[in-house]
Amino acid sequence: MQINPDQLKQLIEASLFVLGKTVSIKSLKETVLVSFSVTRVKIKAAIEELQQDYQGRGVELVSVAGGYRFQTIEALSPYLQPLWHEKAAKYSRATLETLAVIAYRQPVTRGDIEFVRGVAVSSHTIKSLTDRQWIKTVGHKEVPGRPALYATTTDFLAYFGLERLADLPPLTDTESLEALFSNVNSTSDSNEETGSENTLNTEESTNE
């Protein structure tokens, strides 16, 4: 079945609005466009036209985590906050540091994370990140005990507005790292790292 360029744009636009999440060209082709004779090249061209159509508006079409989604422009964020009635989940410094280690050094084991951070990683921290679907188990390290290897997910990329892991800011760029985690509510763990550098201490997990 054929579809003209205008209808293709309309269907893609409507699909992205209805789903409200990142959608890949492959997913579009295999779902809403499965009945039409349309190539990936034409789909991408239609998306690029839509991106131009939304230039200068309050909503933009962005490329994130291997797909595309509509989102409000960053400049409007402070004014839109009152629309959200639910409080965002708060994550402790321990959780965000653990996430950062996984993101930059993946795949890593729990022991690798503890070596980098110098404190023991609580099961609650790993569960919190797994439940949030920011990390997942991608295998097991071939050492005694075969510990799980953790890596980030496409949901992690989508939440932080990254197209690929290569888009993570350099570890030396402190301001960029702070900006990356700025949209995640965090709490401090004042009692977390009171031991010596070579001593592993258990994380406080009450605020994670």
Side-chain angles (χ1 to χ4, degrees):
M1 187 184 303
Q2 297 298 317
I3 183 171
N4 68 49
D6 287 338
Q7 291 173 327
L8 179 60
K9 281 176 60 177
Q10 290 171 353
L11 188 51
I12 292 173
E13 181 180 29
S15 300
L16 293 176
F17 267 114
V18 168
L19 289 171
K21 63 179 183 180
T22 303
V23 183
S24 67
I25 290 177
K26 181 176 183 292
S27 179
L28 287 169
K29 188 171 175 60
E30 294 176 350
T31 54
V32 295
L33 298 174
V34 69
S35 300
F36 300 99
S37 300
V38 58
T39 65
R40 292 175 61 91
V41 173
K42 288 184 178 180
I43 296 172
K44 191 172 190 304
I47 290 173
E48 290 174 348
E49 284 188 31
L50 278 170
Q51 287 178 315
Q52 290 297 319
D53 293 344
Y54 278 85
Q55 286 291 320
R57 299 174 65 175
V59 175
E60 60 185 349
L61 178 55
V62 298
S63 174
V64 175
Y68 299 87
R69 75 179 181 200
F70 281 109
Q71 65 182 36
T72 56
I73 61 174
E74 188 175 354
L76 298 180
S77 181
Y79 308 103
L80 297 174
Q81 290 301 318
L83 296 177
W84 279 272
H85 300 295
E86 295 182 5
K87 287 186 177 180
K90 290 188 176 182
Y91 297 93
S92 70
R93 185 183 68 185
T95 300
L96 295 182
E97 287 181 357
T98 298
L99 178 61
V101 174
I102 295 171
Y104 281 93
R105 301 204 174 193
Q106 59 188 299
V108 293
T109 65
R110 187 165 166 175
D112 295 329
I113 300 167
E114 291 175 342
F115 178 80
V116 173
R117 297 192 59 239
V119 294
V121 177
S122 75
S123 298
H124 183 83
T125 296
I126 297 298
K127 184 178 186 303
S128 175
L129 292 172
T130 302
D131 289 348
R132 191 65 175 79
Q133 296 185 333
W134 284 347
I135 67 170
K136 63 182 179 180
T137 301
V138 294
H140 294 82
K141 192 170 184 178
E142 294 304 323
V143 297
R146 300 186 74 247
L149 286 165
Y150 298 103
T152 54
T153 65
T154 53
D155 283 349
F156 164 82
L157 293 175
Y159 185 88
F160 290 100
L162 303 171
E163 174 65 20
R164 57 188 68 84
L165 287 173
D167 294 333
L168 282 166
L171 284 172
T172 53
D173 190 345
T174 305
E175 290 185 2
S176 294
L177 287 172
E178 289 176 351
L180 179 66
F181 292 111
S182 64
N183 59 338
V184 181
N185 286 342
S186 64
T187 60
S188 61
D189 292 335
S190 58
N191 298 320
E192 181 183 32
E193 298 173 335
T194 56
S196 63
E197 181 176 336
N198 296 319
T199 302
L200 292 180
N201 301 299
T202 302
E203 292 175 349
E204 294 292 332
S205 62
T206 55
N207 290 326
E208 294 176 354

